[in-house]
Every structure is written in structure tokens, then in C-alpha cells.
Amino acid sequence: MTSTESRRASRRQVLKGAGALAAAGLVGAPAISKAQTGAIKIGVPTILSGRVAILGQSSVGALKMSFDKLNAEGGINGRKIEMIVRDSKGAPQEAAKVTRDLINNDGCQIIIDAEASSAAFAVQEVIREVGVLCIHTNSETSSLTADPKLYVPTAFRTARQGIHDAIGGGDYAAKVAKAKGLKKWATCSPDYAYGRSNTAEFMEYAKYFDGNITVVEETWPKLFQPDYTEVVTKLLNAKADAMYSALWGGDLVAFIDQANLYALFEKQASFMVNLGDYGVVDQVKQFPQGVYSGGRYNRTVPPTPENEAWYLEYVKTQKSKPTNWSWENAVGAQFLIEALKKTNGDTNGKKLAEAIKGATIKTPFGDGGSITMRAEDNTTINYIIGYGLSLSKEPYISDFKMSPWEPILELEKQWKKKQGYAT
């Protein structure tokens, strides 16, 4: 064989070998290997501007604290976490665009969706297309994980779920209603998925536990609405015994400040599921007395050394007080970190999903010290749920009553069947 023929034969062998690799799906192996080295990029779409920027700020604070600690310990097999945060302004279309940009342009391999429910559904559909791992850390709208039509195998939720809060809160509200004769109720909640579903579920279970409760007025202010005069007027004219509200963040602050001008809270009992957040309490100019709040984050709930230590570390490192969104994001970060350890740093969406599904983590925010990622619908259970009397100063909530999980889970099963989510 001549030297020319030898070179041709060698070239044929190389091409033949390359073809075999391609057939086996291994041509991209070097690129994949490279992708699994270097920083692990995590994209975080959230709200960082406007009246409810506290959601994004406290979410990012908790994530940063978790990932900074991991990086200081050496990361995952030497790979550090790099977090890339983008402001969606709370707009669904912008949230979807930002999520795509984080994946396609910034090279993020994982998404932590620190959005409100108004945008989380849009992010969910992007994840359905691209297949990366996504953890929804703030959206509490039940259907995001409860509705099987919305299910995405690589998407999980570490935010509390509305139906869980509704059952626990409805039970609490019914006990207060029976004791104080609160029969006629009004509602005031934001006019989007979270506000509508949360309020319907809460009132459903308040009436379930106390059949004397009736709803005489419903008001639905828009997100970021500047003037609540018309809303407050409707609530006053309803002459209700009690009111339920799922307003949150800066919207809740603005509503309370304006409602105080009309002495609304002196005329009725009020149950505000989101009033317990430190950032909200601190901003209310004239804090209403005798208002009940749901179990947002509180350093005394549960009263454990682990919870106190986490609170002190957050305040020291983030220079602010944690909120409900802080603990939800801290739990999301912990589930992700444990999953990355199991996959040895592999960021493949399916592999990470397998590592998270059904897992249980030890955490200060769990009932009994742990929270489980339920395998059937990729959502968390056994976190702290309850209600108490909201206060303007430390400890910000008193007489907190923890909601037991056994009846919540049983009634949730019945609710899912009624919604057509389960058989």
C-alpha cells in the first residue's frame, strides 16, 4: 500500500469511527462534559421593582445566603453556584421572556422561579418546552401543581400551596367566627389567579367548618392599584361582621393605610393571610388592632434554636428581616443543593428531578423539623401552617395556632376529586 493509499485508509477509519459515535449519540460527549464543569448557573426571574419588590428582594436574599454558604464550603465537586437574577416586573409575558433569555443567552442550566403566581404559570410553560429543572418558590396558586394538565416533570414547588392554607385557615377562622358570632363575611383580594383561587378556597373551608358563614360582598382590586377608595366603600356598605383578604406586599400596606382613614378595621374583624410579613408590618403607618394573620415567616414559629439561628444569620448577612418568600426560597435552594450532590453536579433536568421527587429535607421551617417534596404532584408538604393575632411589634404574632397536617391532607384529597384533579 502506498503512502497515499495508507492515508486514505486511515481517513476512512476515522470517518467510520465518527459515524459509529454519531449513531451512538456520543459525538456531543466532549461538549456535554465541558458543560458539566465550571460554574453552575442558576437563573432567577423575579419582581425587583415597583410596589411589591419586597417579594424579589427577600427571595434573592435567601437564595444568596444559601448559595454563598455552599460556595464558601467549596461548591459542588469544586463547582461554584453562579446566580443570575432578572427583573420581570411581575408581568407574565416579561417573565416568560426573561426565563428564555436566562437559559438561551446567559447559559443558565437551572431556573428558580421566584415569581408571584401572575407570572409563574408563564414560566411553567417555558419549562415545559425546554426541560430544564425549575423550582417555583413563591407561587401559592393551588392549580400550578394540583392540576395534572399543568404538570411538568422537571418543575417543582417549594412555596406553600393555597389549598393547604385554606383548610388550616378556614378551620381557624370558623372557630373564631363561632366564638364571636361572625356570620356575614366580605372579601378583598387581588384580581388574578392567586387572589381569586386563594379567596374561594379559604371561604369554602371557613363555611365547611362553620355552616353559618355567608359571603355578602366580594371586592377584587387590581395588582398595584393606587386608590382603594371604591373598594373600601363597598366593604363598609356591606356591613359585614368579618373580612378575609389575600392582598400582599406593598398592595396590602397601601390598602391598610387607606382603609384606616375610614376606620374599616374598627367596624369588622379581619383575617389577612399575608399580614405577618416583617416588611409589611414595618411599613404600615397605623397598624390595625385585632387583625388575624396567617403563618408567614416568624422567628418564634417554630420556637426552635435552628429557626432562631437562621433568622440571625439572615439579618446579619442580608441586612434586612426575612419574609415568607425568604423561607420558601431557602427551602428551594436546599432541595436543589441536595439534588446536585446526588447527581455529582450533573445539571440535567431529568436527573435532578429524579433526585428531588419524594425527597425529605431537614429544615427549621418544617412541622417537626422536616419538609417533604411530595412525589405525586411535585409540591411540598409538612411546612408550618397556622394563624394567630397580628402585632405591630415583636414578636409580631401571638397565640399562634399550628394547623395539623393530617386533616389538611385528607380534605385536600376530597378537594382534588371535586376539582377533577384526581379520581
Side-chain angles (χ1 to χ4, degrees):
M1 180 182 293
T2 66
S3 59
T4 300
E5 290 173 332
S6 177
R7 285 194 298 272
R8 286 174 179 171
S10 297
R11 183 171 179 272
R12 285 195 297 270
Q13 289 175 341
V14 169
L15 292 174
K16 183 178 179 181
L21 286 171
L26 298 176
V27 167
I32 293 172
S33 176
K34 184 178 180 181
Q36 301 300 344
T37 62
I40 298 173
K41 292 187 176 183
I42 299 175
V44 184
T46 191
I47 304 174
L48 292 172
S49 57
R51 198 157 69 185
V52 295
I54 184 177
L55 176 144
Q57 293 161 0
S58 56
S59 297
V60 172
L63 293 172
K64 187 176 187 304
M65 187 172 83
S66 299
F67 295 141
D68 283 352
K69 184 176 181 181
L70 176 69
N71 287 340
E73 295 170 351
I76 302 293
N77 292 341
R79 300 175 66 193
K80 300 296 181 71
I81 299 291
E82 180 183 339
M83 190 168 62
I84 302 175
V85 183
R86 295 286 184 266
D87 184 9
S88 69
K89 304 177 180 62
Q93 289 185 338
E94 184 67 14
K97 178 182 180 299
V98 164
T99 302
R100 291 185 188 279
D101 287 345
L102 285 166
I103 296 168
N104 296 329
N105 299 330
D106 294 307
C108 293
Q109 302 122 315
I110 298 163
I111 294 294
I112 292 183
D113 172 37
E115 292 284 354
S117 293
S118 52
F121 287 87
V123 173
Q124 179 85 335
E125 293 312 305
V126 174
I127 300 304
R128 185 187 306 280
E129 295 177 18
V130 298
V132 302
L133 181 81
C134 173
I135 300 178
H136 299 288
T137 52
N138 295 342
S139 174
E140 300 176 17
T141 304
S142 299
S143 60
L144 182 65
T145 48
D147 187 347
K149 294 191 294 295
L150 300 178
Y151 176 80
V152 174
T154 59
F156 296 80
R157 183 218 302 266
T158 58
R160 61 173 74 248
Q161 188 177 166
I163 187 61
H164 299 158
D165 258 344
I167 296 170
D171 183 26
Y172 179 92
K175 287 183 172 68
V176 176
K178 288 177 181 178
K180 296 189 174 185
L182 308 177
K183 297 180 180 181
K184 294 169 59 179
W185 284 62
T187 67
C188 178
S189 295
D191 189 15
Y192 74 106
Y194 164 71
R196 292 273 180 173
S197 63
N198 174 287
T199 302
E201 291 161 5
F202 180 92
M203 293 312 308
E204 176 183 351
Y205 285 95
K207 290 186 283 188
Y208 172 86
F209 291 111
D210 180 2
N212 293 316
I213 289 176
T214 60
V215 178
V216 297
E217 180 65 87
E218 295 179 325
T219 59
W220 305 103
K222 303 295 182 184
L223 274 175
F224 323 133
Q225 182 166 312
D227 188 353
Y228 292 91
T229 302
E230 183 179 353
V231 171
V232 174
T233 300
K234 286 184 178 180
L235 293 170
L236 287 169
N237 290 339
K239 300 185 185 304
D241 301 317
M243 177 192 69
Y244 174 75
S245 177
L247 289 170
W248 55 277
D251 282 4
L252 180 55
V253 173
F255 170 74
I256 292 175
D257 287 342
Q258 292 179 39
N260 276 330
L261 299 175
Y262 300 87
L264 176 67
F265 303 109
E266 298 174 17
K267 297 177 173 64
Q268 61 183 23
S270 295
F271 295 74
M272 297 181 174
V273 63
N274 299 318
L275 183 56
D277 274 317
Y278 290 131
V280 174
V281 172
D282 291 341
Q283 290 179 35
V284 174
K285 295 175 183 176
Q286 182 182 344
F287 197 84
Q289 300 301 308
V291 175
Y292 302 96
S293 174
R296 310 295 280 178
Y297 176 75
N298 188 282
R299 68 187 294 185
T300 67
V301 180
T304 62
E306 293 81 6
N307 188 30
E308 176 69 5
W310 185 85
Y311 172 85
L312 293 175
E313 183 180 1
Y314 186 98
V315 172
K316 179 181 178 181
T317 60
Q318 305 309 309
K319 313 302 180 187
S320 62
K321 296 175 184 175
T323 69
N324 179 70
W325 303 297
S326 301
W327 81 256
E328 291 174 327
N329 279 271
V331 168
Q334 190 174 346
F335 269 110
L336 175 58
I337 290 169
E338 294 302 319
L340 284 168
K341 289 178 179 178
K342 290 179 182 177
T343 65
N344 292 316
D346 193 330
T347 57
N348 177 272
K350 290 183 178 180
K351 291 181 180 179
L352 287 173
E354 290 174 2
I356 293 176
K357 187 180 286 289
T360 296
I361 60 169
K362 292 183 178 180
T363 170
F365 321 113
D367 185 356
S370 66
I371 289 178
T372 295
M373 182 65 72
R374 189 166 57 187
E376 69 185 59
D377 55 3
N378 291 2
T379 196
T380 46
I381 57 172
N382 295 332
Y383 49 85
I384 301 298
I385 291 181
Y387 258 80
L389 185 64
S390 198
L391 306 173
S392 61
K393 298 179 181 179
E394 292 275 9
Y396 294 102
I397 196 165
S398 66
D399 300 323
F400 187 83
K401 299 293 189 298
M402 194 90 75
S403 300
W405 269 92
E406 187 175 349
I408 289 175
L409 295 177
E410 183 57 38
L411 287 171
E412 182 194 18
K413 289 180 182 178
Q414 298 176 22
W415 174 81
K416 281 189 171 184
K417 289 180 180 179
K418 185 166 63 173
Q419 299 297 318
Y421 296 158
T423 55

